[in-house]
């Protein structure tokens, strides 16, 4: 009788590395939004970030994406310093209505991020692929204002996927939709993550959402923010909106995170 050989799991390389990141808004009302952040996002990982209101989550994403130069620290994407918005990074915002061009069709919005040198046939195939992936088959000729809020956010996600980034940063992307649509979009993210092998850094104020989606949850302190905890999410996949949320491990983890955030919110400066 022969036995199958077992191999040790291969550790993913760190795609995004953040070291000593900090940011201060100078001026009359000087405000230190970020104290010191050190963390990594492994290739292929889904990492969620939560924290008290006003803890600097959006400021952090702006620094990571190259939209804002941090006051101190470094951000490395594939070992290279982030100086300006990298080609291999895409960002999906909360306010989908402002991120889409209302005068362009859905297909036109997606085509906007594709290289001008791309062949027309390949361009149309790419648009079709990502619309199929987000459940918007047949919507290429519609305009954003003809779609519901949830469908508009699907367009924003499709546009990011068409760009083929190495990492996708998401800034509370489902905060403006109703609960049912939010659940649908959460499951959509898990599907496209698997389909496209995407690395995702997901900022949210919803604790349950952070646990449901992620492989790891980072908990931030009150501003100026530091990392209070890095929690691995060891829950079965595929995730299910009912079964996963009923899992005792899910309940325990989300309770621990809620307690941490409440404690941080109660700390006086």
């Amino acid at each position: 009788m022969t036995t199958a050989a077992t191999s040790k799991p291969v550790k993913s390389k760190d795609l995004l590395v953040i070291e000593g990141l900090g940011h201060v808004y100078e001026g009359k009302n000087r405000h230190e939004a970020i104290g010191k952040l050190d963390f990594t996002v492994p290739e292929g990982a889904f990492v969620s970030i939560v924290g008290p209101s006003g803890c600097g989550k959006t400021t952090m994403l702006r620094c990571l994406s190259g939209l804002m130069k941090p006051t101190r620290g470094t951000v490395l994407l594939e070992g290279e310093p982030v100086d300006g918005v990298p080609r291999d990074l895409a960002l999906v915002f909360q306010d989908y209505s402002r991120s889409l061009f209302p005068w362009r069709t859905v297909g036109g919005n997606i085509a906007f991020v594709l290289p001008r040198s791309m062949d027309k046939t390949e361009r149309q195939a790419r648009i079709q692929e990502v619309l199929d992936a987000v459940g918007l088959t047949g919507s290429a000729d519609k305009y954003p204002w003809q779609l519901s809020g949830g469908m508009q956010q699907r367009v924003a996600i499709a546009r990011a996927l068409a760009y083929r980034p190495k990492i996708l940063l998401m800034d509370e992307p489902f905060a403006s939709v109703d609960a049912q649509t939010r659940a649908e979009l959460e499951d959509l993210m898990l599907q496209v993550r698997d389909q496209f092998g995407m690395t995702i850094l997901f900022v949210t104020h919803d604790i349950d959402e952070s646990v449901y989606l992620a492989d790891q949850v980072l908990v931030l302190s009150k501003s100026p923010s530091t990392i209070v905890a890095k929690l691995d999410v060891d829950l079965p996949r595929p995730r299910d909106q009912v079964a996963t949320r009923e899992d005792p491990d899910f309940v325990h983890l989300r309770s621990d995170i809620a307690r941490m955030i409440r404690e941080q919110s109660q700390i006086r400066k």
Side-chain angles (χ1 to χ4, degrees):
M1 184 176 70
T2 60
T3 57
T6 59
S7 59
K8 294 182 179 180
V10 177
K11 184 177 181 181
S12 299
K13 69 176 183 180
D14 291 328
L15 183 65
L16 188 67
V17 177
I18 295 88
E19 296 178 335
L21 184 73
H23 191 75
V24 178
Y25 290 100
E26 300 289 356
K28 184 177 180 181
N29 298 315
R30 184 181 185 277
H31 173 59
E32 186 177 10
I34 303 174
K36 183 175 183 290
L37 297 180
D38 294 279
F39 66 94
T40 62
V41 180
E43 188 174 27
F46 197 127
V47 177
S48 291
I49 296 183
V50 294
S53 295
C55 71
K57 296 188 293 293
T58 297
T59 297
M60 176 201 67
L61 274 191
R62 288 173 179 167
C63 292
L64 300 187
S65 64
L67 293 174
M68 177 186 291
K69 185 176 178 60
T71 305
R72 55 185 175 269
T74 59
V75 180
L76 303 175
L77 179 61
E78 292 192 297
E80 296 295 325
V82 171
D83 183 18
V85 181
R87 170 67 182 83
D88 289 328
L89 180 149
L91 183 59
V92 175
F93 299 94
Q94 174 183 338
D95 195 347
Y96 46 80
S97 63
R98 292 186 180 183
S99 67
L100 299 176
F101 302 119
W103 60 87
R104 285 178 174 265
T105 62
V106 167
N109 267 277
I110 296 171
F112 183 78
V113 304
L114 299 176
R116 293 181 180 273
S117 59
M118 181 177 285
D119 175 82
K120 181 179 179 181
T121 301
E122 184 182 356
R123 180 183 297 264
Q124 292 304 314
R126 179 75 61 85
I127 293 171
Q128 185 64 50
E129 178 190 27
V130 295
L131 286 178
D132 290 346
V134 301
L136 289 179
T137 302
S139 299
D141 295 330
K142 294 182 179 179
Y143 288 88
W145 47 267
Q146 294 177 304
L147 306 176
S148 68
M151 294 173 75
Q152 289 183 52
Q153 192 60 299
R154 286 173 184 255
V155 176
I157 294 168
R159 183 172 61 184
L161 294 174
Y163 190 61
R164 291 292 193 272
K166 294 284 182 64
I167 186 167
L168 179 61
L169 307 185
M170 308 190 77
D171 187 11
E172 300 193 21
F174 310 146
S176 301
V177 298
D178 61 83
Q180 181 176 340
T181 301
R182 187 178 197 130
E184 293 171 353
L185 289 171
E186 288 170 355
D187 288 337
L188 171 66
M189 286 313 305
L190 295 178
Q191 292 167 17
V192 299
R193 182 259 185 117
D194 291 341
Q195 180 178 346
F196 292 93
M198 192 72 65
T199 303
I200 300 173
L201 183 63
F202 190 97
V203 168
T204 178
H205 67 272
D206 188 297
I207 298 169
D208 286 41
E209 180 173 75
S210 72
V211 177
Y212 181 75
L213 291 172
D215 304 311
Q216 184 182 66
V217 178
L218 306 183
V219 184
L220 299 186
S221 71
K222 190 173 183 177
S223 183
S225 55
T226 58
I227 294 177
V228 176
K230 299 178 182 179
L231 305 168
D232 291 331
V233 182
D234 189 18
L235 293 169
R237 290 189 184 275
R239 304 276 165 87
D240 177 84
Q241 288 288 346
V242 177
T244 298
R245 293 171 190 268
E246 289 179 340
D247 190 309
D249 290 336
F250 177 94
V251 176
H252 180 74
L253 187 53
R254 66 94 45 215
S255 297
D256 282 348
I257 295 172
R259 191 175 299 108
M260 292 177 196
I261 293 177
R262 183 176 62 184
E263 291 171 353
Q264 287 297 317
S265 299
Q266 293 172 345
I267 294 176
R268 295 183 179 181
K269 289 186 177 181

